[in-house]
Amino acid sequence: MIRKGTLQDIDRIIEITKACAKTMIKNGIYQWNAHYPNELAFKNDVLRGELYVLEDTAQLIGCVVISTFMDNEYIPISWLTESNNTIYIHRLAINPKHQGKGYAQKLMTFAERFARENNFPSVRLDTFSKNLRNQKIYEKRGYKRLGEIHFPKQSPHPFYCYELVF
């Protein structure tokens, strides 16, 4: 079940994102660290009504943020649609114990359906340039890679920006 996230969910989400970061680091993917994602980001997501959580048998196992806010880092990208009316996906995480079971795909489908049902022309996201698995997943879903941005607190390596146009 996917539902809106609450402030009470944040401690569990932080546990999940920390576990995800450890798993990624073990695989040579230095995408998340002590700076990101953090509790304040998730609190702001809840307050804006943009955090969604995935539960399986009443256990919180993942999350995704579906936002209309465009971060300044995205400004230089030559997007395919106008930037005043689109959806951004952030902080998608699945507990490593539950990865590989289609849960991330379920959250992506939910976010894309949300965008279509609310008449947004596209969905945008970024992923770490060293995370080849994510890149393949997004490209299989029809996302187009459009450019790169940098988050120096996360990594010296770039992040690739993607957009799916409906």
Side-chain angles (χ1 to χ4, degrees):
M1 173 181 88
I2 299 172
R3 63 168 173 79
K4 285 264 188 159
T6 67
L7 292 174
Q8 291 73 31
D9 295 322
I10 293 176
D11 287 343
R12 179 70 183 128
I13 290 169
I14 293 296
E15 288 174 15
I16 290 169
T17 57
K18 284 183 179 182
C20 288
K22 284 182 184 178
T23 299
M24 286 188 282
I25 289 167
K26 193 184 327 179
N27 292 316
I29 300 170
Y30 300 91
Q31 178 175 339
W32 286 356
N33 58 29
H35 299 287
Y36 185 88
N38 59 53
E39 186 176 337
L40 180 59
F42 286 115
K43 282 184 180 177
N44 288 332
D45 296 336
V46 169
L47 296 175
R48 287 191 304 264
E50 298 176 341
L51 177 66
Y52 294 85
V53 297
L54 173 64
E55 292 179 324
D56 187 31
T57 60
Q59 179 184 13
L60 197 154
I61 61 168
C63 66
V64 67
V65 174
I66 304 171
S67 178
T68 58
F69 177 75
M70 183 170 117
D71 292 314
N72 288 334
E73 289 83 1
Y74 290 149
I75 291 172
I77 301 300
S78 295
W79 298 104
L80 301 172
T81 60
E82 293 294 320
S83 291
N84 61 348
N85 184 36
T86 193
I87 290 291
Y88 297 87
I89 295 176
H90 297 294
R91 295 180 278 290
L92 175 69
I94 301 294
N95 183 329
K97 294 176 184 174
H98 297 279
Q99 290 178 1
K101 300 176 182 176
Y103 290 120
Q105 296 292 340
K106 188 173 187 174
L107 285 173
M108 288 297 298
T109 299
F110 175 82
E112 292 163 3
R113 185 178 311 120
F114 177 92
R116 281 189 184 104
E117 289 174 357
N118 289 282
N119 300 312
F120 290 99
S122 69
V123 175
R124 297 174 180 175
L125 53 82
D126 66 75
T127 194
F128 189 49
S129 59
K130 303 296 181 186
N131 194 334
L132 302 179
R133 181 176 176 220
N134 277 3
Q135 292 170 45
K136 287 178 187 172
I137 289 169
Y138 298 138
E139 290 168 9
K140 275 186 175 179
R141 294 185 75 90
Y143 286 78
K144 303 290 181 218
R145 189 166 97 190
L146 302 174
E148 61 184 52
I149 57 176
H150 293 270
F151 295 105
K153 286 186 175 182
Q154 287 176 249
S155 174
H157 300 287
F159 287 70
Y160 295 147
C161 293
Y162 285 85
E163 185 170 21
L164 174 67
V165 178
F166 302 120

